[in-house]
Amino acid sequence: MKGNHWFIAGIIAFLVLMFAIECRLPKKFVWNPTFSHYDKQPFGCAVFDSLLSSSLPKGYSLSRKTFYELEQEDTALRRGILVITDNLHLTNVDVEAMLKMAERGDRITLVGSSFSRILKDTLGFECGYSSFNPLALKKDAIALRSKDSLYWVGDSAIYPRQVFCFYPQLCQSHFFADSISCEIWAKKTIVGGVSHPVAMSVSWGKGEVMLVSTPLLFTNYGVLDGKDVAYLFRILSPMGGFPIVRTESYMKETAQVQMSPFRYFLSQPPLRWALYLSMASILLFMIFTARRKQRAIPVIREPENKSLEFVELIGTLYYQKKDHADLVRKKFFYFTEELRREIQVDVREVAEDERSFGRIARKTGMEAGEIAAFICEVRPVVYGGRSISEKEMKRLVNKMNEIINHI
């Protein structure tokens, strides 16, 4: 085996070994909330979307349309619209479109830790908010500290009262209900023994708007929590009789980027290192094999000019056929084109003969009468089909050449 082959085999073996080592290393979790359909980390929604797609009887789908775009769709089928994000900032147009959808019978579920002022003023509520700290969550989990309790206080005829326990960092936000009448579904008790809603619904027209302040529970982490996953399905149960659409239009732009094959490679540590090592190996291979290998330079012959040979061949063909008039005809067409291009004279126009012959005479220095006599002689051959001898053909062709050469 040659040296280059040993080098390539060694690189391949090294890549396979590194890939196997990376696959066996413990996985590192990223605790940043993205709510992305493509994110399989704890606070992504890949597992959440997969579970709902397979469990909801009326169907579950994803969309990137805003409330305005969804409202413009002309559909008689009522739907459930689900929005999950950290900070839900809706514009006036979004709120108007959302309420139109609710008024005609759609069920809207808004899950977020903070909401825009226009939505708060319209529905009459306030929301307390504190930022999520992943480090604090890890410390609480490691120290096995007690969890916060969420109390299900919804209609007991549908679901019995129940307590769900979560780490405090996952349910820090809560609502302050104002003047508008709303149905409280779940509460949490904060410092001082005061209870505040974390999930509630507002009737609007024929539909309903559900507000939930615990978005981190609607993630892969929430659905994989076997004890408390029932909390999510209780929240989504009012939309269970409708096809549900989760729109990602109000998430961060970084979370809305689709996962391309290259982006997926970079998102997985083993594949990312395999890609880096492959690029480094290719670079090393190019460096070590950059030595120039001289090959014999082929002798390239100069192209031969076949134009004269072609002309002789065509001339011989016409000579053998003895079609002297046709040869004069083709020469005349070339002759008239040269006159038109060089001195802007068209001798094919009989009505312009006097002006044309005078201009040709001035340009060539020949007599106008001589040129007129020649043109009048050659026209019957070209247009009338008169037969001529070889001698007459040569004379007419030579005359045309003489005029062209004098221009």
Side-chain angles (χ1 to χ4, degrees):
M1 185 180 289
K2 296 182 179 180
N4 287 344
H5 294 168
W6 281 112
F7 177 77
I8 296 173
I11 292 296
I12 294 175
F14 177 71
L15 291 176
V16 172
L17 177 62
M18 292 300 299
F19 184 77
I21 293 174
E22 285 289 338
C23 288
R24 290 181 177 273
L25 289 176
K27 306 299 182 183
K28 293 183 179 180
F29 292 110
V30 179
W31 295 90
N32 295 326
T34 65
F35 308 101
S36 172
H37 171 67
Y38 303 97
D39 190 357
K40 296 181 180 179
Q41 294 295 332
F43 294 141
C45 284
V47 181
F48 175 84
D49 290 333
S50 176
L51 177 63
L52 266 62
S53 297
S54 60
S55 59
L56 293 177
K58 296 297 184 178
Y60 178 84
S61 61
L62 291 172
S63 173
R64 293 197 175 192
K65 295 181 179 180
T66 63
F67 278 117
Y68 177 78
E69 294 171 319
L70 292 170
E71 191 272 330
Q72 293 298 313
E73 294 179 349
D74 184 14
T75 173
L77 180 65
R78 301 277 63 84
R79 296 173 295 177
I81 308 298
L82 175 62
V83 180
I84 305 174
T85 186
D86 190 13
N87 301 310
L88 181 56
H89 296 292
L90 301 179
T91 64
N92 292 348
V93 175
D94 292 325
V95 173
E96 290 178 6
M98 180 195 70
L99 295 180
K100 286 181 181 178
M101 296 172 65
E103 189 172 359
R104 67 192 186 193
D106 289 340
R107 302 289 177 89
I108 314 295
T109 299
L110 306 178
V111 185
S113 55
S114 69
F115 300 85
S116 58
R117 173 51 56 185
I118 180 65
L119 182 63
K120 294 178 183 179
D121 293 341
T122 303
L123 298 183
F125 71 93
E126 285 295 335
C127 182
Y129 171 75
S130 58
S131 59
F132 170 67
N133 187 350
L135 295 178
L137 174 62
K138 291 181 182 179
K139 290 180 181 179
D140 288 351
I142 294 173
L144 299 177
R145 294 177 182 171
S146 60
K147 298 181 178 181
D148 278 358
S149 298
L150 298 185
Y151 300 91
W152 183 264
V153 296
D155 189 351
S156 59
I158 301 176
Y159 291 109
R161 299 293 177 94
Q162 187 174 346
V163 179
F164 299 95
C165 298
F166 300 99
Y167 286 111
Q169 289 74 21
L170 304 180
C171 48
Q172 292 181 327
S173 299
H174 54 270
F175 296 114
F176 300 95
D178 200 354
S179 59
I180 193 167
S181 62
C182 59
E183 181 182 357
I184 306 300
W185 288 354
K187 292 183 177 182
K188 65 171 290 188
T189 302
I190 61 176
V191 178
V194 180
S195 296
H196 286 289
V198 293
M200 59 185 185
S201 68
V202 178
S203 297
W204 197 276
K206 298 180 181 180
E208 191 176 8
V209 178
M210 284 76 79
L211 300 170
V212 185
S213 65
T214 55
L216 294 179
L217 302 183
F218 288 75
T219 57
N220 302 330
Y221 176 89
V223 298
L224 294 177
D225 186 352
K227 297 181 180 179
D228 299 315
V229 67
Y231 174 78
L232 303 183
F233 284 97
R234 290 191 180 193
I235 295 293
L236 298 174
S237 61
M239 298 192 298
F242 300 86
I244 297 179
V245 179
R246 182 167 85 90
T247 174
E248 296 183 307
S249 179
Y250 300 99
M251 292 170 15
K252 295 179 180 178
E253 294 182 359
T254 54
Q256 298 185 45
V257 178
Q258 292 191 1
M259 186 66 71
S260 64
F262 188 75
R263 188 180 297 276
Y264 178 78
F265 264 74
L266 294 178
S267 67
Q268 306 297 319
L271 297 178
R272 182 172 64 246
W273 277 106
L275 182 63
Y276 292 159
L277 291 173
S278 299
M279 295 175 64
S281 301
I282 293 173
L283 181 61
L284 289 174
F285 181 78
M286 294 175 61
I287 292 174
F288 284 106
T289 58
R291 183 178 56 186
R292 181 180 179 186
K293 296 179 180 179
Q294 183 68 47
R295 291 186 292 181
I297 300 176
V299 178
I300 301 176
R301 299 181 60 185
E302 184 179 355
E304 298 182 8
N305 189 353
K306 300 290 185 178
S307 300
L308 184 59
E309 182 180 347
F310 176 75
V311 172
E312 291 177 351
L313 179 63
I314 296 299
T316 302
L317 179 64
Y318 273 96
Y319 180 77
Q320 290 176 350
K321 291 178 62 177
K322 299 186 181 301
D323 192 355
H324 308 307
D326 191 33
L327 188 59
V328 171
R329 186 177 301 110
K330 288 182 170 50
K331 178 64 177 179
F332 181 77
F333 292 152
Y334 172 75
F335 169 71
T336 56
E337 182 63 24
E338 285 290 313
L339 292 178
R340 186 189 63 79
R341 186 174 62 251
E342 296 294 335
I343 61 176
Q344 292 76 47
V345 170
D346 189 359
V347 297
R348 289 174 294 185
E349 294 291 337
V350 178
E352 299 290 331
D353 279 354
E354 183 176 353
R355 187 187 68 83
S356 299
F357 296 157
R359 185 172 179 81
I360 295 172
R362 288 193 299 272
K363 289 291 183 179
T364 60
M366 303 171 66
E367 294 291 336
E370 179 184 359
I371 294 173
F374 169 71
I375 298 300
C376 293
E377 180 183 5
V378 77
R379 279 175 176 167
V381 179
V382 174
Y383 301 112
R386 181 172 68 84
S387 299
I388 58 174
S389 63
E390 179 183 350
K391 183 177 180 181
E392 289 178 303
M393 175 197 70
K394 292 181 179 179
R395 181 177 62 79
L396 294 175
V397 169
N398 290 337
K399 189 63 175 179
M400 284 186 278
N401 289 335
E402 180 184 357
I403 295 174
I404 292 175
N405 292 334
H406 280 78
I407 293 177

